[in-house]
Amino acid sequence: RVEGVRGGEAPEGPGVAEQFQDFVWDLEKVGLRNWLKMDIAELERFLPKGELAELHLPSSPSTDAPAIKLDGDDVEVAKMMLRCAARGRPDLLDFEVVDPYKLLHNLPAREVDEELASLPANAHLGDGALASLVDAHTERLRRRDIARGGGAERTPTQKAWLSQGATIDEIYRKELDFYRTAGPVEWNEAKEGEYSWKWRQPPNTFWDPQSKTYIQERKGVDPTLNLKEMRQHLLDMNRMSGMVKSGRVNYFRAIVVVGNGKGIYGFGVGFGNTPKETRADAAVKALQNLDYIDMDLGRMLPFPTRGMEYKHSMKIVPRPIGRGLKANKKFLPLLYILGLDNCKVSFMHSKVFTRIRAVKRALDGIISRRTLANMTGQRYSLLVAPGDHWVHWPDRWFQEIRKPYDSKVLHTKLMRKHRLHFKNRSNVVATELEVRPGWRKENWARWNNSLERWLQERRGIRRTSKSYDPTLGDDSLLHLDRGKLPRAQQQRLQGGSGGREADPPEIPEI
């Protein structure tokens, strides 16, 4: 029987085997699955070497050994970090008060204690138990310092063991340098315990003191680029002039686009004394500024895009697969080099130098389905754009089927010309081939006016009189044969005339 349990019943809770299994699973979560299989010698071989700096209280005597002085703020920080770890926030950078983004932009943020109060407490370790652990360790350090004052010394570490592997100080310095240089900010130690930061210089840039920004250095063409797939097209060539001290200087300016027709493209603006030199300079600059269109090859664009630069604009509207490219013929070489297909492209205004910026903005707005899946966290197969299930059969598939029908129409037109002796007679039916069976004007009642609809309705009733007055309504039907009318309509006509038929007024025939 277990003491403290009434009736000798076994206490509720997991047994030793279950606790050990949970312990092994927890080790596997942190990457120590084979920790119990490791040899002591192997474990010591991977441990960092070096003398550990001891923790000393402010009242501790000074020694030559490395030591870390603790004060009341350090004890409070230790308690706070234990509370953070117990609530699942071991990294202090996860809190708003030390968020780099909010620190650099001076945004309001909650304190650490406020965020900890909003998080659920640990079910196994409360804040009081964690604080008692720190207080117990502080008391242990105080008793050790008292024993050291009585003549007790620290046990020295074996020098042979210290000579193997990296020291703790080296690992600490390496980690400190990593955190100082990680990210776009670089930290430098100005004085003892004080640090200053500055923005790290991006690669291949130089500082411009006038604009106070980093400017990208001019780079050459990528040597691994396959130039055999590239095609170029001259968009614009202008003769320019400028005034210098010696007089007026004339030169040429060219705008060239290069690309492989699969989404890789680049625009270049070149200058030179001759058109040939200018075009070559623009082509090289275009190869130095290559960009990529993030689109799905062989699939429809997910949504339309529009790019604007001042009043110049470019609009790309998706079309179903198989419909092809629809644009002005003079823009087709540019669109073929860009690799666009199954879309309608339109431009506004004609200044090419400004238009290329609108083109780049419109192309940057194209996003592939794979990128959308990474941005939204959805599966790639579930992202379906309107029109993905539409397939337009090309018109060239039906050219052979249309040939007999087109030849019949041409023959009819030729016969009409010969019958009318090549004169224009739009209101004459010249040949019976022009009459198509199965069509009557009554079928077009949708576009008829009220009078035409009335005439079509009355054509089905046999007329017995030539007189009719539309202003009299149904009473004007007296001139019709009542034997052909419904009985209710005959009674209504007789009642409206007082039991006898009235002679209808004579009006001209319609």
Side-chain angles (χ1 to χ4, degrees), residues 4 25 32 50 100 154 183 212 227 243 261 297 335 369 479-480 495:
W25 285 342
L32 298 177
R154 180 181 180 182
K212 296 183 180 180
L227 297 179
M243 291 297 297
L297 294 178
L335 302 178
R369 292 164 179 81
H479 68 281
L480 300 177

Side-chain angles (χ1 to χ4, degrees), residues 256-267:
V256 174
V257 58
V258 299
N260 62 350
K262 299 178 182 178
I264 298 178
Y265 72 97
F267 291 99

Side-chain angles (χ1 to χ4, degrees), residues 172-200:
Y172 172 75
R173 292 297 175 186
K174 185 177 180 180
E175 289 292 324
L176 184 61
D177 293 339
F178 170 76
Y179 283 107
R180 285 178 179 174
T181 57
V185 176
E186 189 173 333
W187 294 88
N188 297 319
E189 186 174 0
K191 298 180 181 179
E192 185 177 357
E194 296 182 1
Y195 294 91
S196 61
W197 64 276
K198 65 177 183 179
W199 294 110
R200 180 184 297 178

